[in-house]
Amino acid sequence: MKTNDLKAQDAEIFSIVSRETARQNSEIELIASENYASPAVLEALATPLANKYSEGYPGKRYYGGNQIIDELENLAISRAKQLFSAEHVNVQPLSGSPANAAVYMAFLEPGDTILGLKLDHGGHLSHGHPVNFSGRLYNFIQYGVDSESGLIDMAEVRRLAIQHKPKMIVAGFSAYSREIDWQAFQDIADEVGAFTFADIAHIAGLIAAGELNNPVPIFDVVSTTTHKTLRGPRGAIIMCKEKYAAQVNRAVFPGMQGGPHDNMTAAKAVAFGEALQSEFKGYAKQVIINAKVMAQEFINLGYKVVSGGTDNHLFIVDFSGCGYSGKDAEKKLELAGISVSRSTIPNDPNPPMNPSGIRVGTPAVTTRGFKEEEIKKLVSLMARVLEGDEGEGLIVKGEIENLCREFPVYN
Ligand SMILES: *Cc1c(COP(=O)(O)O)cnc(C)c1O
């Protein structure tokens, strides 16, 4: 069998892959949940490991021929344990949402009460949104952020916990820019007898690098995607205390999933290996510096930033009063070759499809090598796009392409 023949065999798909790769090279990616996986991670994904069926766990498979895959999965687990100081790790979850489904299944029965962060205050769909399985299967009670400070209102978390006696408290977010006091959550959970679940999908890379506080030694169970700040393949892992290992494993398989994607396990292991290197610590540090500089530049130009800044890799720009919405801003920036995601602001008067803000994140631009200087230049270009007309957007697009050429992502 030949390999490397996509171009010869399927010109249509080859063309799509080439054009998308070129787009990623020539445009600015500020979507906080995206990153550029390394060539080694991508290489591991495109291997014959994709062919194997490995239902079960190392040493206990439902299919033959898994000796080498067992070695792989054990290595991925041991690297993840080292990275996060975890007692137990399951590396099989296919993505963040299925990982969270497995966590709920491992600890709860349908109908049980869970406390989670409101979606429009920065929570995730899988933390109880009514259209999501989580909101349909479980009784979610939602806490929010303080409307003055933009910080999670821990007094409200405690009040709701005492009032509703949840079986689980979820801490974690998709659009919150401040450090989380994991111990304060654990203390509240201890007071009411709830399990603690941290969803660190966004910040896992920053935690692995030691730049943000790690909930793994404190919380009962922690899930994370592997493709955001952690910069691995699309996928997820679940970490927990050893005493919950069996129930978590059972919930992933056979509870939620069939066979793991072994090529993805290999790519996760490669990414964990990368994150254990000292270069990755430098990367994570720069991600946060870049986000802080970027938020401050927006503030200097007169824009509002939710909570006034950031401790991590992202922040929310609030355009209320600017005469345009987050969706308008997203569209304008897209024309200039800059990707951001529209975002609600806390207590947003506008609907989620046309919210008041945008979420801006620095993991991807930092991977391509941006430092403070490029970040400042980028914000001034963004302001020109936001305040200017379509013609200005097209002029800026040219400047963005020049900037991107200096910092190529993939050859
Ligand atoms: C991204 C994200 C997820 C879901 O990840 P998918 O891989 O897209 O399913 C779950 N939780 C949080 C907090 C996230 O930010």
Side-chain angles (χ1 to χ4, degrees), residues 134-254:
S134 55
R136 299 185 61 172
L137 283 179
Y138 303 98
N139 174 37
F140 267 87
I141 306 290
Q142 269 150 337
Y143 58 88
V145 299
D146 180 86
S147 53
E148 289 297 306
S149 66
L151 304 182
I152 291 174
D153 185 348
M154 293 307 293
E156 186 189 29
V157 174
R158 180 162 182 271
R159 185 175 57 72
L160 290 172
I162 290 168
Q163 183 186 343
H164 295 281
K165 295 264 174 295
K167 206 159 160 196
M168 173 178 272
I169 299 180
V170 186
F173 55 81
S174 297
Y176 181 71
S177 61
R178 293 302 183 178
E179 182 67 288
I180 291 188
D181 187 347
W182 305 111
Q183 189 59 51
F185 272 101
Q186 185 62 50
D187 291 345
I188 292 168
D190 288 343
E191 207 178 326
V192 300
F195 293 114
T196 44
F197 167 29
D199 179 350
I200 58 170
H202 261 264
I203 49 176
L206 309 178
I207 290 171
E211 290 297 314
L212 294 179
N213 297 327
N214 184 6
V216 175
I218 301 171
F219 271 41
D220 293 313
V221 60
V222 178
S223 72
T224 181
T225 59
T226 47
H227 50 277
K228 298 181 184 178
T229 51
L230 199 49
R231 215 164 59 178
R234 288 200 100 80
I237 60 173
I238 300 172
M239 299 170 271
C240 65
K241 298 272 181 282
E242 189 58 46
K243 63 181 166 183
Y244 302 123
Q247 73 199 61
V248 164
N249 282 356
R250 263 199 315 276
V252 174
F253 172 85

Side-chain angles (χ1 to χ4, degrees), residues 6-171:
L6 181 62
K7 186 178 184 179
Q9 183 186 312
D10 193 328
E12 268 179 300
I13 295 296
F14 180 79
S15 157
I16 288 171
V17 171
S18 304
R19 284 182 287 126
E20 172 58 14
T21 307
R23 187 196 69 78
Q24 291 188 17
N25 263 319
S26 64
E27 294 190 356
I28 293 288
E29 187 54 72
L30 292 171
I31 294 174
S33 48
E34 293 189 23
N35 212 330
Y36 305 113
S38 73
V41 166
L42 297 181
E43 189 181 338
L45 281 175
T47 57
L49 275 68
N51 299 329
K52 190 72 194 99
Y53 244 111
S54 317
E55 281 183 358
Y57 291 99
K60 297 175 291 258
R61 303 286 185 184
Y62 290 81
Y63 291 80
N66 271 304
Q67 289 79 3
I68 300 166
I69 297 300
D70 281 3
E71 195 182 318
L72 166 71
E73 192 166 327
N74 283 328
L75 187 54
I77 290 168
S78 74
R79 288 181 182 179
K81 280 184 176 175
Q82 195 186 340
L83 205 50
F84 292 99
S85 307
E87 289 180 18
H88 174 77
V89 182
N90 185 306
V91 296
Q92 296 191 3
L94 302 178
S95 210
S97 294
N100 290 353
V103 168
Y104 299 139
M105 189 183 273
F107 289 87
L108 308 170
E109 295 300 326
D112 279 350
T113 298
I114 314 178
L115 210 55
L117 180 61
K118 282 183 195 138
L119 192 70
D120 67 339
H121 288 212
H124 187 257
L125 278 171
S126 62
H127 300 176
H129 193 280
V131 302
N132 186 262
F133 77 90
S134 55
R136 299 185 61 172
L137 283 179
Y138 303 98
N139 174 37
F140 267 87
I141 306 290
Q142 269 150 337
Y143 58 88
V145 299
D146 180 86
S147 53
E148 289 297 306
S149 66
L151 304 182
I152 291 174
D153 185 348
M154 293 307 293
E156 186 189 29
V157 174
R158 180 162 182 271
R159 185 175 57 72
L160 290 172
I162 290 168
Q163 183 186 343
H164 295 281
K165 295 264 174 295
K167 206 159 160 196
M168 173 178 272
I169 299 180
V170 186

